[in-house]
Amino acid sequence: MPLSVVRLSLFVLLALGIALGARAEEERVDVNTADAETIAQVLVGVGQSKAEAIVAYREENGRFEEIEDLAKVRGIGEATVTRNKDRIKLGDEED
């Protein structure tokens, strides 16, 4: 394969990766209204079982008032909350 084709292929893959990464970073989820599947799709390091724990905690204790309140959910640590801060909405914020 000619070097120019390889370079072009790498450029296209890099551009696609950047575009997909930027889209993912812009995606946000309202943890006070979203279902577990949506939470798991948007938050990094939060799979289906942790997302279900977030929903269960919310149903039992009411809405999250602060993003940091997510750390009260079993299995969700401060590092996970910090990593996802830009992806979390609380329902009372404008996009």
Side-chain angles (χ1 to χ4, degrees):
M1 189 177 302
L3 187 57
S4 60
V5 173
V6 172
R7 285 183 179 161
L8 179 60
S9 298
L10 289 173
F11 175 77
V12 169
L13 289 173
L14 178 62
L16 182 60
I18 290 170
L20 291 174
R23 181 180 168 267
E25 288 178 356
E26 293 173 3
E27 197 168 5
R28 296 178 74 201
V29 63
D30 184 343
V31 294
N32 283 320
T33 59
D35 60 18
E37 183 177 339
T38 303
I39 293 170
Q41 288 175 352
V42 176
L43 299 185
V44 175
V46 175
Q48 188 65 30
S49 63
K50 287 183 182 179
E52 289 171 3
I54 290 171
V55 172
Y57 184 93
R58 176 183 77 207
E59 289 173 352
E60 193 171 307
N61 298 285
R63 55 182 282 112
F64 296 97
E65 297 296 327
E66 304 286 335
I67 291 174
E68 292 76 15
D69 290 344
L70 280 168
K72 296 176 183 176
V73 177
R74 185 169 189 207
I76 306 293
E78 290 180 24
T80 301
V81 174
T82 300
R83 184 178 327 131
N84 286 290
K85 230 174 190 155
D86 293 338
R87 297 171 180 266
I88 299 169
K89 290 186 352 177
L90 298 177
D92 53 356
E93 306 167 357
E94 294 295 320
D95 279 332

